[in-house]
Amino acid sequence: MSDEKKTAPCSAASVTELWVTLARAQQRVLAAMECDLKAAGLPPLSWYDVLWELDRAEDGRLRPFEIEERTLLTQYNLSRLIDRLEKEALVRREVFDQDSRGRWVVITEAGRERRARMWTIYGRSIEEHLGARLSEEEAQMLTSLLKRLA
């Protein structure tokens, strides 16, 4: 049995306003965070997302499809991003032992350092653009509501 409360569905007008507001809020907050990273001379959030997933993975390595599953990046965009990360020496590719055609993407020490440096700006940006605008109670309520959609 689910712990979710059963509620009557909202009206078409309300759900449409919700959708537009949610999309607009996400777009504006992400744009502000991207600007904060850019102003600090750092790469975009997509770089952080990939480096974060690699940094927290066992042995600091994942197969490209695993990175795709853990991020919101498409295979095509991810492949190009991994190329850029490799060119910057933030990741390296290694042959996958069980299949010589497959590759691991492995975070380098420089990649770990860049991710940590990005987090100092990104974490502050999250606080500024979200945390400072909501009370603790509001943040918990919004998190709870959004989890019902996730």
Side-chain angles (χ1 to χ4, degrees):
M1 187 156 170
S2 174
D3 289 340
E4 289 182 20
K5 287 192 244 176
K6 298 293 181 194
T7 59
C10 59
S11 69
S14 291
V15 77
T16 301
E17 183 178 6
L18 167 62
W19 173 247
V20 169
T21 304
L22 185 61
R24 187 174 289 137
Q26 179 196 25
Q27 182 181 39
R28 289 184 177 158
V29 170
L30 284 174
M33 291 176 178
E34 291 282 8
C35 284
D36 292 344
L37 288 169
K38 188 175 183 175
L42 294 168
L45 282 172
S46 58
W47 288 42
Y48 182 87
D49 292 343
V50 171
L51 293 172
W52 168 246
E53 292 300 339
L54 289 168
D55 199 15
R56 67 192 200 119
E58 186 177 333
D59 299 326
R61 65 185 190 171
L62 294 168
R63 302 281 304 271
F65 77 88
E66 293 173 312
I67 299 170
E68 184 180 353
E69 289 173 353
R70 296 174 187 207
T71 64
L72 298 176
L73 298 167
T74 63
Q75 190 275 329
Y76 174 75
N77 289 332
L78 178 60
S79 180
R80 292 176 55 218
L81 176 54
I82 291 170
D83 289 343
R84 289 192 297 271
L85 292 169
E86 188 173 36
K87 186 177 178 182
E88 295 286 326
L90 303 176
V91 302
R92 68 178 180 277
R93 288 181 170 104
E94 293 180 356
V95 174
F96 184 61
D97 296 337
Q98 287 89 5
D99 177 359
S100 62
R101 295 170 298 170
R103 298 284 183 261
W104 288 109
V105 179
V106 183
I107 191 168
T108 63
E109 192 55 39
R112 291 181 195 279
E113 291 169 6
R114 179 72 57 90
R115 190 211 59 80
R117 195 166 138 234
M118 289 179 77
W119 177 248
T120 62
I121 303 301
Y122 187 24
R124 200 167 38 228
S125 191
I126 291 170
E127 177 56 36
E128 177 184 343
H129 302 293
L130 288 176
R133 296 174 182 216
L134 301 170
S135 69
E136 181 69 23
E137 183 180 340
E138 290 169 331
Q140 289 176 4
M141 183 186 318
L142 184 55
T143 299
S144 177
L145 290 169
L146 290 172
K147 281 182 177 179
R148 289 171 56 186
L149 301 176

